[in-house]
Amino acid sequence: MRLAREARGISLREISEQTRISMRYLEAIEANDFKRLPGGIFNRSFIKAYARYIGYDEKDAIEAYTHALREQGESAEEPTSTPYKSHVYTDGSSTRSPFVTLLLTILILTILSLGVYAALHWYQRRQQTRPEGNIAPTSNTQPAQTAGSQGGASPVAPATTPQTNNAAATSGFQIQIRAVGEQVWLRVYVDDASPKSAFAGNLQEGEAKEFTPERNLRIQCSKDKSASLEITINGRPAKVPFNMKGSLAEMTVSKDDYEQFLQ
């Protein structure tokens, strides 16, 4: 699994952030040091989550885990491990009144409710202000067309409407990625604004993901799976060449030059 992870260029830190599994547990899995894991069903859950994220077969991962346990003389069902114990430090038995606990619960729920309400209110105001900025150009265009029709202006004036509509139609930048014929492991970065990927995981056969970047979109996949990706830009099929880097295939689509890839 470590070799599969390194071949895909995925770090343990990224897996830990995406799966919420501690770094020391991930390192223990790669080192076959299962005594450092919580034990029981948690071990299998961690290994499945690890394998799923890097695009490794979960069944093969569990079989390799069972085989490693047997080589270490452990039981495949209940391996000997150090159980995880939560460390809660108290100064004695709890003397808090149930009434106080209820008041604290109500206070916490009230604060959370106010936070949700404030977020919804902010979002609604933002949605209301967006259309106002888009209406102004339309209102300026319509009176000019009406004046032209009443005053007998040249027939060139009505052509402003389709030009405005074309500008609005081409201002979007939406990219759809679909897996065709087989499952494809995929990682996508939007606008390179963050080191974290916008999507990383397996794209099932026939499944599609849509992205709306402002500037560009960078796509990475396994080299032998690049032909199984179907790219659509603004609703039109596109053929974007991949650059091969080791075991990965990578391509970048920019808002400034995507039209050259449209078919």
Side-chain angles (χ1 to χ4, degrees), residues 233-252:
I233 304 177
N234 289 347
R236 295 178 59 184
K239 187 67 174 179
V240 184
F242 280 90
N243 294 323
M244 301 305 174
K245 296 183 177 180
S247 62
L248 292 179
E250 179 177 300
M251 71 176 185
T252 301

Side-chain angles (χ1 to χ4, degrees), residues 170-244:
T170 58
S171 63
F173 187 43
Q174 186 179 61
I175 300 176
Q176 182 187 83
I177 307 173
R178 182 185 301 275
V180 180
E182 60 180 334
Q183 172 183 286
V184 180
W185 178 86
L186 188 69
R187 183 164 54 192
V188 180
Y189 295 90
V190 175
D191 292 330
D192 294 329
S194 170
K196 294 184 178 180
S197 55
F199 172 80
N202 290 322
L203 200 62
Q204 302 298 324
E205 178 183 357
E207 182 183 2
K209 292 287 184 180
E210 291 188 356
F211 304 91
T212 309
E214 295 182 0
R215 299 184 302 276
N216 58 64
L217 192 80
R218 183 158 57 96
I219 305 168
Q220 293 180 341
C221 67
S222 300
K223 180 188 297 183
D224 57 346
K225 304 288 186 179
S226 60
S228 299
L229 289 181
E230 180 181 88
I231 310 297
T232 303
I233 304 177
N234 289 347
R236 295 178 59 184
K239 187 67 174 179
V240 184
F242 280 90
N243 294 323
M244 301 305 174

Side-chain angles (χ1 to χ4, degrees), residues 8-26:
R8 290 166 172 78
I10 304 173
S11 65
L12 284 179
R13 177 67 60 186
E14 180 179 344
I15 299 175
S16 178
E17 291 175 352
Q18 297 294 332
T19 63
R20 305 300 182 187
I21 300 175
S22 171
M23 283 281 292
R24 64 190 183 96
Y25 290 158
L26 295 175

Side-chain angles (χ1 to χ4, degrees), residues 85-99:
K85 296 181 180 180
S86 61
H87 300 282
V88 180
Y89 301 95
T90 63
D91 55 356
S93 59
S94 176
T95 58
R96 179 181 294 172
S97 168
F99 180 72

